[in-house]
Amino acid sequence: QVQLVESGGGSVQAGDSLRLSCAASGRILSGYTMGWFRQAPGKERQFVGGISGSGSSTLYEDSVKGRFTISRDNGKNTVYLQMNSLKPEDTAVYYCAAVRSWSRVVDSYYQYDYGGQGTQVTVSS
């Protein structure tokens, strides 16, 4: 079992930055592909980006490319989502998820084995 806990959310102004963290316990994250997803009220959960278990591959949703960066620190068993130049449309609950995979980043939440409870990000204009 892998337990995931997101943190770092908050309320910011457009143009600000936030760094979300996803801390894992129960298993070492090395070898797990990690994904970040978000869900706004009334909308489906959306893939934001992911990083492969090896750390060598990343994948981002088009609207966040160039603004968001995913990284991982296997020594701390933590994955990060650095969000810059935030926009009001980034407002959502952000979730991290894990699936055992070394090289492939998947963009469907239903392909992940574990997920966290989410952290709220609110961006005002």
Side-chain angles (χ1 to χ4, degrees), residues 57-83:
S57 298
T58 55
L59 181 67
Y60 296 96
E61 194 269 330
D62 286 346
S63 69
V64 308
K65 283 180 182 177
R67 299 190 298 124
F68 291 11
T69 303
I70 295 173
S71 61
R72 61 190 305 154
D73 185 339
N74 288 339
K76 295 184 178 180
N77 232 24
T78 301
V79 176
Y80 304 98
L81 178 64
Q82 178 67 45
M83 306 186 294

